[in-house]
Every structure is written in C-alpha cells, then in structure tokens.
Amino acid sequence: MTACSAPDGTSADPGETPSAVTRAPADYAQALAEATNQARTAEGLDAVGRSTCAARAARERAAELVGQDLEHRPLTHVTRACAPGGRVSENLVDSAADPEAVVEAWMRSPGHRNNIVDPAQVEMGIGCVDSGDGVLCSQLFLAREQ
C-alpha cells in the first residue's frame, strides 16, 4: 500500500483494511465522496457538489499514476477546463483500505485536511482505478476564489 500524498509533502497512512479490492473503482469513488462530505459536515461545512469535469480529469490522473510514485503536478489544465477563475487542489491515495479509513487518515494529515475542509471548495470529482493490490484515486476539489 502507498500512503496518501498531499501537495505540502505530508502523508497519511490509512491502514491495511483490505476491503477496497472487493469494490469496483466507481463504487469506491462514490463511497470516498460520501465519506469526504461526511467529514466536511462534521466540521460544520456544507457538503461539496459533484463535478463531472473534475471526475473525468481525476480518472485520467489516477490512470496515469498506476505503477508510479504518488506525486502532485500542476493542474492548470484542470483549472482551465473545470474551474475557470478558480483553483484546483488534489488528494491522492493508493490503498486497500475502506474509503472511510482513507478519509480519516486524510483528516489527520494537515495538507489533505486543508483540502477537505477548505470552505472555498464547492465541487469535487474523484477518479479511481484498480492498482493491483488496491485502488488508486485522485480526488480533485474545485474552489472559487474569494
């Protein structure tokens, strides 16, 4: 399993709960979105909506990372396509853990947590692909500049 990666270099380890491999990547992405919104509402924030544009970009991003280190790269093309005038942030994970465990780990990691609880975030898209031993996901948040 690869730990989660955040843009600020922090990482989180969601543990070894081996149930992700039994879910289809699309079902895993849906559960990850639900767990993310539960974490936001627990912090007193509104849930974020879903973006088909960001989900498409996230699936492409996840697919290109299979077999590679989880490293962030500029997301300018996603900003242009999905959030003109705004910004995009990303959480990554390659894990066999339950989506709820991944979000719990992200909430313990400052960089991931900041992405999840940023009140400027209005939409997200999640793309997941089978990575062999688990599921590799890119979670993209779209924010409007304030």
Side-chain angles (χ1 to χ4, degrees):
M1 176 184 59
T2 303
C4 313
S5 173
D8 65 358
T10 61
S11 65
D13 186 349
E16 293 289 341
T17 309
S19 63
V21 293
T22 62
R23 295 189 195 201
D27 293 339
Y28 191 90
Q30 176 65 31
L32 195 58
E34 291 169 5
T36 297
N37 274 329
Q38 288 172 356
R40 284 180 59 86
T41 58
E43 295 287 324
L45 297 165
D46 291 334
V48 293
R50 302 297 290 277
S51 166
T52 56
C53 181
R56 184 174 39 256
R59 279 190 303 276
E60 291 170 5
R61 177 81 173 116
E64 73 185 25
L65 284 169
V66 173
Q68 299 181 32
D69 290 335
L70 297 187
E71 293 183 2
H72 295 280
R73 65 177 170 95
L75 296 167
T76 309
H77 67 290
V78 179
T79 304
R80 278 195 303 269
C82 304
R87 61 183 163 81
V88 177
S89 56
E90 176 181 55
N91 287 339
L92 298 171
V93 67
D94 186 356
S95 178
D98 280 328
E100 296 79 11
V102 170
V103 173
E104 287 175 18
W106 280 344
M107 292 298 285
R108 292 188 306 268
S109 165
H112 296 101
R113 179 182 172 78
N114 288 342
N115 289 341
I116 293 170
V117 301
D118 182 346
Q121 310 290 26
V122 293
E123 291 183 300
M124 77 174 137
I126 301 174
C128 298
V129 296
D130 184 344
S131 66
D133 293 331
V135 180
L136 192 152
C137 301
S138 169
Q139 178 183 53
L140 298 175
F141 289 99
L142 308 180
R144 66 171 99 76
E145 290 300 327
Q146 296 181 354

